[in-house]
Each structure stands twice: as C-alpha cells, then as structure tokens.
Amino acid sequence: MKKIIPSIIFAFILAIASSPAYAANHPIQIDGVAVASDVKPETKNKRTMVPLRVVSENLGAKVDWSNSKVTLTKSSMKVTLQTNSTAAMKNGEAVQLDVKPYIKNNRVMVPLRFIAETFGCKVNYSNSKVTVETAPLVIHNVKVKALQEEYHMTMGGVVQQLKGNAYNAAIYDAFVRNKGAKVDAPASYSWMANIDVPGSYYKNSQYDFLDEKGNSVQRFDVYSLVNAFPDELLTGYPEVLLYDATEDQWYLFSGAARDSIQSMVETAGKNGFLTVISNTVV
C-alpha cells in the first residue's frame, strides 16, 4: 500500500513551491513550474550553465554517474558528458560543447541549451531566470494536458494530476514499452485486496491521460497479485497485470515497470509538478 503525505502538509508544500519568493530563489522554470535547486544558473563564456540532475530529471531523462562521466538516457536518446571536457557523445556520435561541464557545490553544471535542445525543448534566459518549454505528449492525435492518477488505501483515496509534459511522455512510454503478452481478465480484481480468493488482484493505481477539456484520452490500470496465500496456490499467476481501458484489453506487466512509473510520479511531486485534486484518506 502507498504512503502519502497528509493533505494539509502537501498543500503547504505546494503553496511554498508556487510562491513568488520560492520562484525568485529557484530561477529555473520548466513548463511554468519553479524547480528547486541549491545551485543557481550562471553564465560561462556567454552560455547558461545549470545543475545537470535537476534539469535532466524534469525533462524526463535518467541520469547515471560513473567516475567523471555522466550518461543521460531518454527513450532512444543517449548522451554522455564528461566534466572538464568539451567532448560529448550523442547516440554514438561525437559532438563538441561550447563550454566544458564542471562541478560546483558538488553539482555538475552543464550548458542548458545543449541539454534542452537535445531533448526537443525550447529555452529562454532572461533576468537571471531560465524557462524551458517541453513538447506536449500527443496520444491518438490529441494533445495531453495532464496525467491524472487515482489510488485507494484502506480508508479513502487520492486523486492527483501531473502537468509536466516530459514526465507525462516518459510515463506513457513506460506503459507502452513494457506491455507484455495479451492475457484474459483475472477471475477476481478490485481496488481492495481480496484475501479470500487465491489469484486475486488489487488495483495499485488508475492513470488517465487527459486532454485540454479534462477528458481521458488513454487510461491504464495497474494491478498487483494479492500475496496473502501459500506460494503453491499462486503458481502460474503473474505478479503484475496491466489493463488498457481504452482497448479493453489485459496485458502482462512487470513489477519493475510498475515501480519505475511510481518513482517518476513521486519525483514529479517532489519537484512541484503534482497537484492534489482530492484526498479522502482518513
């Protein structure tokens, strides 16, 4: 079961993150959201340098650090940078940066325009503030405005919306990429864990990709096997299933994919991209 921040505390955090004072102290905005960073952007050789991890994470890229090399991956794009070197690799091809990445206050600083444009974003730098606009996710030729997640606990549930384009695209890609073989619907499935029937599934979360009017363009439900039975009674039952409500079709899924998607949602919340719509958890 999920643990959540009580709604009053979460609302307080969101209020701080959206305040003018917060934005002034955190002058990086991605899709209109002020992103927290303990190192401010700065100019080197007429290029805007930004902390790598905070920007890359909010552009939907995974960051891996090994020795002095940093590797960024997002979908089919892979970029490798090295501190104190203008040499970089972009999908296996050598490229040259205008400014060498460097370390400041234990943070790797990189040229913003190269990172953002590599991942298809528009960048503006004005009055010491950096704004980045990412491309919206498009599903079935419809532009997605937000991802809405709903989940339930023993007493109540939560509905929240994520409005970061890069996060939404990365999460949608994780669903599509990790779809397994088609399967029949399980005999027992619901929001709550049924501990009376072996092979029952409970719904972890419902994910709706919403259009500009708030209508669902695509919906995925993630279900996990109820493990309240001896192992021999669970033989042959997959750990995780995915229900594509738009297709009305069930698929095999994986625990790793489920956890990766939830991790992205949690990172989005930490960085100010989540809004709680309702919270009835007692």
Side-chain angles (χ1 to χ4, degrees):
M1 291 296 181
K2 299 186 179 184
K3 294 181 180 178
I4 63 169
I5 301 172
S7 57
I8 188 169
I9 298 176
F10 195 87
F12 177 71
I13 293 173
L14 290 179
I16 292 175
S18 60
S19 69
Y22 180 92
N25 292 324
H26 303 80
I28 303 175
Q29 290 194 352
I30 299 179
D31 292 336
V33 176
V35 177
S37 172
D38 53 2
V39 179
K40 294 182 179 181
E42 60 186 23
T43 301
K44 288 282 186 180
N45 298 337
K46 298 182 180 180
R47 292 291 182 266
T48 302
M49 308 296 288
V50 294
L52 172 66
R53 185 173 295 277
V54 68
V55 172
S56 298
E57 277 186 352
N58 289 300
L59 295 182
K62 181 182 178 182
V63 181
D64 292 308
W65 174 266
S66 177
N67 297 323
S68 60
K69 290 185 177 181
V70 182
T71 301
L72 311 177
T73 53
K74 179 182 178 182
S75 299
S76 60
M77 177 60 67
K78 180 177 181 179
V79 178
T80 302
L81 307 172
Q82 189 164 350
T83 54
N84 298 315
S85 173
T86 57
M89 297 294 291
K90 185 175 176 179
N91 274 358
E93 296 185 5
V95 295
Q96 290 293 317
L97 307 178
D98 293 331
V99 184
K100 299 177 182 179
Y102 57 89
I103 296 177
K104 179 180 180 181
N105 297 343
N106 294 320
R107 297 290 184 266
V108 179
M109 304 294 287
V110 294
L112 172 65
R113 190 168 297 278
F114 171 77
I115 297 299
E117 292 183 351
T118 291
F119 296 117
C121 307
K122 295 180 180 179
V123 179
N124 184 50
Y125 183 70
S126 178
N127 298 325
S128 299
K129 289 186 179 181
V130 174
T131 59
V132 180
E133 295 180 8
T134 65
L137 170 65
V138 176
I139 303 176
H140 310 313
N141 295 319
V142 178
K143 186 183 298 184
V144 171
K145 183 177 182 180
L147 168 60
Q148 180 166 291
E149 181 194 24
E150 178 180 353
Y151 62 90
H152 292 189
M153 301 181 73
T154 304
M155 299 285 286
V158 175
V159 177
Q160 55 190 8
Q161 288 187 2
L162 197 168
K163 293 188 177 180
N165 292 330
Y167 283 110
N168 292 341
I171 292 170
Y172 179 75
D173 178 69
F175 278 120
V176 174
R177 185 164 31 87
N178 289 285
K179 271 186 178 181
K182 292 181 179 180
V183 294
D184 294 331
S188 174
Y189 58 93
S190 67
W191 277 110
M192 296 294 115
N194 184 347
I195 60 174
D196 296 322
V197 181
S200 296
Y201 289 81
Y202 69 92
K203 188 189 291 191
N204 296 105
S205 289
Q206 176 176 309
Y207 299 89
D208 284 279
F209 292 87
L210 307 179
D211 64 14
E212 296 285 344
K213 296 181 179 180
N215 300 314
S216 180
V217 178
Q218 174 71 52
R219 176 181 139 199
F220 294 110
D221 299 346
V222 178
Y223 286 84
S224 291
L225 180 66
V226 178
N227 288 312
F229 304 93
D231 290 344
E232 59 268 21
L233 295 181
L234 299 179
T235 301
Y237 291 106
E239 178 189 355
V240 183
L241 294 175
L242 178 69
Y243 175 60
D244 185 330
T246 306
E247 293 182 6
D248 188 22
Q249 177 63 55
W250 290 80
Y251 293 88
L252 295 178
F253 210 50
S254 71
R258 173 198 61 199
D259 296 345
S260 174
I261 289 167
Q262 188 53 44
S263 177
M264 284 189 276
V265 172
E266 291 172 358
T267 299
K270 178 188 67 177
N271 291 326
F273 287 85
L274 271 183
T275 301
V276 175
I277 305 301
S278 67
N279 181 352
T280 59
V281 176
V282 178

